[in-house]
Amino acid sequence: PAAAPTEHAEQVALFTWAAAMEAQHPELGMLAAMPNGGYRPMATAVALKAEGVKAGYPDIVLDVARGQFHGLRVELKRVDHSNHATPEQAAWIARLRYYGYHAIVCYGAEEAIAAILAYLALDAQP
């Protein structure tokens, strides 16, 4: 069997979809990635930490209010479930939920797309 796509490939697929769908869903222009993951040289990691990058913050943000939520936060994982939220990621998700965000873990681009569309379908705040 072929290996499941990497998180990077899943995230690229998600943002490719979002760019293609932005005319239909203008809110997708607010979809952004947080550069928290991935390998970095130690000097870069130290510099980013000094600038406020925090371990475990979700990969993807959608700063569009819907329903009772201030925005959506998505921690994107591989579709094959070979990796799960770290303790730091789980703590961020819990804190974001406490403060009024819809914070979730999605396994693969397709699950993330479905979650984003469901979120956007919630009633918008006036």
Side-chain angles (χ1 to χ4, degrees):
T6 63
E7 280 186 34
H8 169 80
E10 294 286 2
Q11 191 161 319
V12 168
L14 173 63
F15 278 87
T16 299
W17 166 83
M21 295 299 292
E22 197 172 327
Q24 192 173 341
H25 299 283
E27 305 93 332
L28 292 173
M30 296 294 292
L31 192 70
M34 302 300 294
N36 283 350
Y39 171 78
R40 290 186 178 80
M42 185 56 71
T44 303
V46 169
L48 288 172
K49 186 173 181 179
E51 291 176 7
V53 171
K54 299 202 178 194
Y57 196 83
D59 300 310
I60 299 160
V61 302
L62 181 61
D63 285 327
V64 174
R66 284 290 186 276
Q68 78 264 27
F69 302 111
H70 302 304
L72 174 66
R73 301 294 183 267
V74 177
E75 179 57 41
L76 187 62
K77 297 295 182 187
R78 290 172 60 127
V79 71
D80 65 1
H81 291 250
S82 64
N83 59 349
H84 300 281
T86 66
E88 293 87 1
Q89 290 165 341
W92 267 111
I93 288 168
R95 284 193 299 261
L96 286 161
R97 287 176 178 170
Y98 177 82
Y99 286 110
Y101 290 86
H102 186 51
I104 58 175
V105 176
C106 289
Y107 292 91
E110 286 186 25
E111 189 174 304
I113 289 166
I116 290 167
L117 289 173
Y119 178 78
L120 289 176
L122 296 173
D123 291 334
Q125 292 287 347

